[in-house]
Amino acid sequence: MGTLTLSLVIPSSGINQLPSKHYLQKPFSAIQKTDIGTLVVEPGGIELSHSPVDFFRYNSLLSSFVKNGSLKEAHGVFDEMPHRNEVSWATIISGYTRSGDYWKAFDLLDEMWEEGLRPNEFAMGSLIKASSGLKDVWIGRLLHGWWIRSGYGIDVYVETSLVTMYANVGCLSDARRVFDGVSVSCLNDGPLWNSIIAAYVLHECWTEAFELFSSMVSSGCVAPTKFTYACMISACTNAREENYGKLIHGMVIKNGELDDTMMGNSLVTFYAKCGMLQDSNRVFERIRTKSVVSWNSIIAGNEQNGEEEAAVDLFRRMVELGHSLQPNRITFLSVLSSVSKVSALNRGKEIHARLIKSFLEPETSISNSLITMYSKCKEVEKASLVFDRLPFKDMVTWNSMITGFDQNEQPERCLGLFKNMLLLGIKPDDHTYTAILAAVSSLPSEFRYVKLGKEIHGYILRRAVLNGVTTFTSNAILTMYAKSTLIENAEKVFKGMSEKDNYSWNAMMDGYSMNGRPEDSIKIFLDKHEKNLPFDYLTFSIVLTACGRLVSFNLGKQFHALTVKTISGCGKIHPNHLLSIDNSLISMYSKCGSISDAALVFSRMRRRDVFSWTAMITGYAHHGMAYESLEFFDRMKQDGVKPNSVTFLGLLAACSHAGLIKQGLRYFSSMNCDHNLNPSIEHYACMVDLFGRAGHFEKALEFVRSGSTQFNSVTGGCLSLWRVLLGACHAHQQLELGVSAAMKILELEPEDETTHILLSNLYSAKGMWEDAIRIRSLMREKGLKKDIGCSWLEAKSRRHLFVAGDVSHPQRKEIYMKLEEVNRRCRKTGYVPMTEYVLHDVDNLQKEAIVGCHSEKLAVSFALLQNGNGRKHGVIRVIKNLRICGDCHNWMKFTSSVENTDIIVRDSCRFHFFKDGICSCGDYW
């Protein structure tokens, strides 16, 4: 275009001192270049021609300022124009609409009317967008009505604006009515199709959006644009429509749009949210020009799919690119979340340092993430420092710090922070209550802490008089009572809830399971099933755990089948959720005596964490397969998984059950030296058990004294060490040390039934009948009762319970006949009753009669009646509430041989797997 000559007298003081009313409110040099030509200063000054024929030049200059976002300068030109036409008004109105000053756009409409001009299609389109921005459907309808009455007819630009406006104000049916009313000639307009597709995507009407897209493509009138594809990919992402998304991806490739950064970013997000992380990573690597959004999408995608380490590595790659690509707030939030989940403290500190350099640390959301990261990395003091330095704290800040103290087992500081919060007049929200109630439930089960939990419950009820307690908070109260062993209170909360969500049902199920009522946990599950309520991964994890606690192998298998069926029917499942279910299956099968099924689940897992490995290590330990347990620990380290304290409890239990003293000592010392884990009272108890079982009582006593000194504040914990030592003394008939251990326990807990019984049995084993009778008399005076030994098993979906000498079972006659038959066959192959295990002052015949009808023998005899002999009828599984005696253990070995049957007995200590006359424990238990 040619040269535009303007003239204006320039003051002698300089070009920057222009008249205040003039449209040039900044130095002339800043606007010398425009997209319509070059402004030239002539000797006479700068002057605008007032000729009507210069409308085009004025409007072009006005449009140039509007497009550059120089709205003030644009309005200056607009005010100085001697004549303005519809284009001039449309341009300035669009400028204010773009800037978000919607009311100013309508003020200009009034001025336009006063000048006797009517808005054209471009002005009308901008005004409709302004009403959309105001979310005012009334104004939008007025404009729509005026446009129809004006007789302008159908204009595709206006129709497109109307579709978008009606969609944005929530009137989807009106948007569709406008679209359906356009002429056939308008259907070749891409923006019109994009607007109606975007409308349905906005309202989450995925099916209709897909149908419209199909119509657009099949009509052949107009080709999809980048915006169309991006909109459809967003729909596929939110609807989790994997196949449709892949189809769109194919169309993008075919039309050569894949190199576009925005398109690549959309596909990265789509694949990540649909759980197809490999495809997401592949698309990301193929984006030629990666923006910050590209990196943010892939980092967040990996973090959301449980690949936190990969997310941290991607962040490292991004940082290595240098100043060409700087992480922003979204990047840091995603990577801090990943660091929190994997407890990568050093990496977290590096990110914190980078945040300080970027001046982003004082931002509240960033600091909240830092508090969470440090808390989860067990650096709660650093989290507290970030909290104290933060200039502005929101509710998330307070909740994060309260949760941090709770996670780091500092409930007292958690409660102190809650009190400070109340003193400052900050009103707690549902998340605050959840955190503080969790802290209360983790405190020792003392009356004052139970009272504190009830007080907080009362405070919540008083605060919620008008609106009631939310479901979220009710769930937290329910969980608090369940964890505090007040399951009856949890029941009342559950029954009193007006609305229950999935968490409510899960919390009640878990509460029953944790408090020794797994049968009620399963009843809740069945009640939920009858009401056709949805299940999630936690529901299945809890019910499988309940089956493990119930030691119900058959029921566990049925729930396993239901879990697989449900997961298969709901499509993709999040990797972390699948991992949780698999871990529950391993635990359930190992607790039900089927370590082979547990190993099968483990071998099929795509992903394993420390809980997966620990469940297998502990499972092998309790099945007497110590060397398999230790082998799994070595494999775990090779796999790069760090053990936790529970892993070492499993290892020490394995060593204890197999008498592996050297290995046990090595693992105990490596906890602190190699893995920075401090042994707990439970680990000391394992060491006492290890040496006690092996008969090394001096070493066992040494660990008791060492543990008692270190954990002096935990009275109950120290008593547990003496109890373990007493059990070992009972097994080895160490009278003097056993009596000493019993006296230590009874000094602090004089009402302990088990200690009285073990002490009485020690005296009986040594023939000291008077002392044994004295202890039994003392128990009667105190009102203490011995636990009745019982055994049970499942047969034909029913549980059958037996006690020693049981005569209550309907098939008692057949059971005793079968037992006599098995005894005869066992005696022929060398079985002799071990009467020394009868701790009563009676003759041998009576002792044989007593030992001959122990509960586990009756249970196995009943199972043989039901199943028949031979391995083809399956494994006999018996559970016993007390430790199996030596005679029953010996009898089981003979029975497994003569009946050609595998028998699994789970006593109070471990599993015994009897096969072909041999027990998995190697007679060391």
Side-chain angles (χ1 to χ4, degrees):
M1 187 170 290
T3 300
L4 174 64
T5 302
L6 310 172
S7 85
L8 172 70
V9 176
I10 302 174
S12 59
S13 56
I15 195 71
N16 288 323
Q17 297 181 10
L18 299 175
S20 60
K21 289 283 287 181
H22 202 275
Y23 65 90
L24 291 175
Q25 298 294 323
K26 58 184 179 180
F28 182 75
S29 59
I31 60 167
Q32 280 184 341
K33 298 290 183 181
T34 74
D35 58 356
I36 63 170
T38 306
L39 301 176
V40 178
V41 180
E42 294 185 344
I46 305 174
E47 186 179 87
L48 278 173
S49 172
H50 289 175
S51 171
V53 298
D54 286 331
F55 268 131
F56 175 75
R57 292 180 177 179
Y58 277 106
N59 289 339
S60 295
L61 182 60
L62 180 62
S63 177
S64 174
F65 281 125
V66 167
K67 286 180 180 177
N68 291 330
S70 305
L71 196 57
K72 191 174 182 181
E73 289 81 353
H75 208 113
V77 171
F78 183 77
D79 287 342
E80 292 293 329
M81 291 175 69
H83 299 285
R84 293 179 288 229
N85 62 4
E86 289 88 346
V87 175
S88 314
W89 287 98
T91 304
I92 194 66
I93 287 172
S94 72
Y96 279 102
T97 300
R98 286 184 185 182
S99 69
D101 194 348
Y102 305 123
W103 288 117
K104 182 62 178 176
F106 287 112
D107 289 340
L108 286 166
L109 175 62
D110 290 338
E111 293 178 28
M112 185 179 181
W113 282 110
E114 288 174 5
E115 288 196 9
L117 295 174
R118 296 191 303 175
N120 63 11
E121 65 272 21
F122 300 108
M124 183 56 63
S126 295
L127 291 165
I128 291 169
K129 287 177 183 176
S131 68
S132 175
L134 291 169
K135 303 292 184 187
D136 195 326
V137 69
W138 183 76
I139 296 176
R141 289 189 193 279
L142 282 178
L143 292 168
H144 188 183
W146 180 86
W147 182 256
I148 293 170
R149 291 193 303 273
S150 68
Y152 275 119
I154 292 175
D155 180 86
V156 70
Y157 180 73
V158 174
E159 302 300 322
T160 301
S161 299
L162 284 168
V163 168
T164 304
M165 180 272 294
Y166 280 124
N168 287 346
V169 297
C171 301
L172 184 59
S173 58
D174 291 314
R176 184 57 185 261
R177 196 175 296 115
V178 171
F179 177 79
D180 291 339
V182 300
S183 63
V184 176
S185 61
C186 292
L187 292 178
N188 60 357
D189 185 75
L192 178 62
W193 281 97
N194 291 342
S195 65
I196 190 63
I197 290 172
Y200 278 104
V201 171
L202 176 67
H203 287 265
E204 300 183 358
C205 299
W206 318 122
T207 304
E208 291 84 351
F210 296 144
E211 288 173 353
L212 280 164
F213 178 76
S214 299
S215 299
M216 178 184 184
V217 173
S218 61
S219 70
C221 298
V222 59
T225 63
K226 291 178 183 178
F227 181 85
T228 321
Y229 288 130
C231 196
M232 290 310 302
I233 292 168
S234 173
C236 294
T237 302
N238 291 300
R240 300 296 190 269
E241 279 289 344
E242 298 174 18
N243 294 331
Y244 213 103
K246 289 178 180 178
L247 180 66
I248 303 291
H249 187 181
M251 294 177 70
V252 169
I253 295 171
K254 185 178 178 182
N255 288 280
E257 303 282 0
L258 191 58
D259 289 338
D260 182 74
T261 303
M262 183 189 77
M263 195 63 60
N265 296 346
S266 298
L267 286 166
V268 166
T269 302
F270 159 68
Y271 281 118
K273 288 196 173 179
C274 289
M276 295 180 284
L277 192 58
Q278 279 187 327
D279 295 300
S280 182
N281 287 325
R282 196 176 297 117
V283 172
F284 171 77
E285 297 299 342
R286 290 177 181 174
I287 299 174
R288 291 183 182 178
T289 307
K290 297 178 177 68
S291 65
V292 174
V293 176
S294 311
W295 287 96
N296 289 349
S297 300
I298 195 63
I299 290 170
N302 276 270
E303 184 264 329
Q304 290 160 4
N305 281 276
E307 294 294 335
E308 292 86 6
E309 295 280 3
V312 175
D313 288 338
L314 282 161
F315 176 77
R316 187 184 296 115
R317 277 178 58 192
M318 182 183 181
V319 169
E320 286 170 356
L321 293 173
H323 295 290
S324 61
L325 205 68
Q326 288 297 316
N328 61 15
R329 174 179 165 276
I330 304 299
T331 322
F332 285 116
L333 289 174
S334 291
V335 75
L336 282 171
S337 178
S338 298
V339 168
S340 299
K341 289 177 182 177
V342 296
S343 299
L345 180 61
N346 292 332
R347 176 57 63 181
K349 288 179 178 178
E350 291 173 16
I351 294 168
H352 190 179
R354 186 171 289 277
L355 282 165
I356 293 170
K357 290 178 183 177
S358 304
F359 302 103
L360 284 171
E361 188 201 24
E363 188 176 322
T364 304
S365 61
I366 293 288
S367 287
N368 293 345
S369 294
L370 283 169
I371 291 168
T372 300
M373 182 272 292
Y374 279 122
S375 298
K376 288 189 175 180
C377 291
K378 305 300 180 185
E379 288 283 350
V380 72
E381 296 305 327
K382 286 186 173 62
S384 183
L385 193 62
V386 174
F387 176 84
D388 292 335
R389 282 202 309 236
L390 187 59
F392 175 75
K393 300 176 179 68
D394 61 9
M395 276 307 304
V396 177
T397 315
W398 288 91
N399 292 342
S400 299
M401 197 65 250
I402 290 172
T403 304
F405 285 134
D406 176 46
Q407 289 170 343
N408 285 270
E409 299 176 358
Q410 296 188 22
E412 298 288 358
R413 292 181 73 180
C414 188
L415 291 166
L417 194 61
F418 179 66
K419 289 176 183 175
N420 290 341
M421 189 177 169
L422 296 179
L423 289 172
L424 290 169
I426 301 169
K427 294 181 180 179
D429 63 7
D430 286 338
H431 296 283
T432 318
Y433 293 138
T434 301
I436 201 68
L437 289 166
V440 170
S441 63
S442 66
L443 289 162
S445 297
E446 298 176 14
F447 175 74
R448 65 190 181 106
Y449 293 124
V450 171
K451 184 181 177 185
L452 181 59
K454 291 180 177 179
E455 286 175 357
I456 293 172
H457 186 183
Y459 171 82
I460 294 169
L461 290 175
R462 289 193 298 274
R463 281 285 311 278
V465 171
L466 296 176
N467 301 321
V469 181
T470 65
T471 304
F472 193 89
T473 300
S474 294
N475 291 340
I477 298 168
L478 191 162
T479 304
M480 181 270 294
Y481 281 128
K483 287 184 177 179
S484 302
T485 68
L486 299 172
I487 193 63
E488 292 80 10
N489 293 51
E491 279 179 320
K492 289 177 184 176
V493 173
F494 181 76
K495 290 175 182 176
M497 290 174 68
S498 56
E499 291 184 13
K500 300 180 181 74
D501 60 12
N502 212 24
Y503 186 95
S504 316
W505 291 89
N506 289 345
M508 197 65 240
M509 283 175 59
D510 199 29
Y512 279 132
S513 182
M514 285 189 302
N515 285 276
R517 292 169 61 177
E519 298 96 337
D520 289 322
S521 180
I522 292 167
K523 285 177 184 176
I524 287 280
F525 179 91
L526 297 175
D527 188 23
K528 188 178 181 183
H529 186 268
E530 285 177 7
K531 288 179 168 61
N532 291 318
L533 296 172
F535 298 133
D536 62 4
Y537 78 100
L538 274 175
T539 313
F540 289 112
S541 295
I542 293 166
V543 78
L544 289 167
T545 301
C547 291
R549 286 175 172 151
L550 200 57
V551 199
S552 179
F553 177 72
N554 293 330
L555 199 57
K557 282 201 301 183
Q558 290 176 42
F559 280 120
H560 184 181
L562 179 61
T563 303
V564 172
K565 182 180 177 182
T566 306
I567 291 173
S568 301
C570 66
K572 280 279 183 182
I573 181 171
H574 193 284
N576 286 348
H577 299 170
L578 183 60
L579 179 63
S580 174
I581 291 172
D582 284 336
N583 289 344
S584 299
L585 282 168
I586 292 172
S587 178
M588 181 273 292
Y589 278 123
S590 63
K591 286 180 178 178
C592 289
S594 184
I595 194 66
S596 57
D597 284 309
L600 187 61
V601 172
F602 182 87
S603 67
R604 291 175 176 173
M605 290 174 72
R606 295 179 183 176
R607 186 163 160 263
R608 305 177 182 113
D609 62 3
V610 63
F611 302 105
S612 319
W613 290 96
T614 300
M616 284 305 302
I617 288 167
T618 305
Y620 278 126
H622 289 147
H623 280 78
M625 304 168 75
Y627 291 102
E628 287 85 349
S629 184
L630 307 191
E631 179 192 342
F632 254 70
F633 180 66
D634 292 334
R635 284 176 56 190
M636 175 184 178
K637 290 191 293 183
Q638 290 168 10
D639 209 39
V641 180
K642 295 179 182 178
N644 60 20
S645 344
V646 183
T647 313
F648 281 98
L649 282 176
L651 286 169
L652 294 175
C655 295
S656 177
H657 288 308
L660 304 176
I661 292 175
K662 290 181 180 179
Q663 291 91 327
L665 275 171
R666 188 174 73 247
Y667 288 127
F668 184 81
S669 62
S670 75
M671 282 186 68
N672 189 272
C673 300
D674 302 330
H675 301 282
N676 198 29
L677 294 169
N678 292 320
S680 66
I681 195 79
E682 288 81 8
H683 295 98
Y684 275 88
C686 283
M687 295 306 292
V688 175
D689 190 47
L690 171 65
F691 286 108
R693 283 174 186 270
H696 297 190
F697 288 101
E698 288 185 9
K699 197 69 179 175
L701 189 57
E702 184 182 320
F703 269 95
V704 170
R705 288 169 177 162
S706 175
S708 298
T709 303
Q710 188 166 347
F711 300 98
N712 192 39
S713 59
V714 190
T715 306
C718 298
L719 281 181
S720 69
L721 299 179
W722 288 105
R723 286 192 178 99
V724 173
L725 182 63
L726 176 59
C729 292
H730 176 264
H732 288 272
Q733 297 184 13
Q734 290 289 313
L735 181 64
E736 187 176 342
L737 183 57
V739 171
S740 175
M743 293 301 107
K744 288 277 187 183
I745 298 167
L746 293 175
E747 279 176 18
L748 293 171
E749 285 196 17
E751 310 299 316
D752 186 46
E753 300 100 329
T754 305
T755 302
H756 284 86
I757 292 162
L758 290 177
L759 186 57
S760 172
N761 289 346
L762 262 175
Y763 285 131
S764 299
K766 291 292 185 180
M768 301 170 67
W769 302 113
E770 290 184 4
D771 292 291
I773 292 168
R774 177 173 54 83
I775 297 297
R776 299 280 177 171
S777 299
L778 189 61
M779 286 182 68
R780 283 193 295 273
E781 289 173 12
K782 293 180 178 181
L784 305 178
K785 294 182 180 180
K786 176 185 176 182
D787 285 339
I788 298 173
C790 60
S791 301
W792 64 90
L793 80 166
E794 290 182 347
K796 296 180 180 178
S797 302
R798 287 188 59 195
R799 175 163 289 198
H800 298 262
L801 181 71
F802 299 90
V803 295
D806 202 330
V807 291
S808 61
H809 197 278
Q811 292 178 263
R812 56 187 175 276
K813 184 177 180 181
E814 293 87 344
I815 291 169
Y816 278 101
M817 287 175 64
K818 184 63 180 178
L819 176 58
E820 189 177 343
E821 176 198 330
V822 174
N823 277 337
R824 282 198 306 270
R825 297 177 66 189
C826 288
R827 286 174 185 268
K828 286 181 181 178
T829 56
Y831 165 71
V832 176
M834 301 169 72
T835 55
E836 61 268 28
Y837 286 97
V838 179
L839 300 176
H840 296 283
D841 189 15
V842 294
D843 60 39
N844 277 339
L845 283 176
Q846 286 178 293
K847 287 182 178 182
E848 280 192 26
I850 292 170
V851 81
C853 56
H854 276 184
S855 62
E856 52 266 60
K857 292 181 179 179
L858 295 174
V860 169
S861 300
F862 172 74
L864 289 170
L865 278 175
Q866 298 296 308
N867 302 343
N869 62 350
R871 290 190 174 86
K872 64 180 180 180
H873 296 289
V875 179
I876 295 174
R877 302 173 190 276
V878 176
I879 301 96
K880 182 175 172 63
N881 66 330
L882 302 176
R883 188 174 184 267
I884 189 171
C885 74
D887 176 70
C888 288
H889 189 272
N890 196 34
W891 183 87
M892 295 288 174
K893 291 195 295 183
F894 279 96
T895 301
S896 71
S897 178
V898 299
E899 295 288 335
N900 190 30
T901 299
D902 295 345
I903 304 171
I904 293 176
V905 177
R906 198 202 84 166
D907 67 4
S908 59
C909 297
R910 53 167 295 163
F911 283 95
H912 298 267
F913 182 32
F914 300 93
K915 182 175 182 177
D916 297 329
I918 299 171
C919 180
S920 59
C921 72
D923 296 338
Y924 186 91
W925 81 98

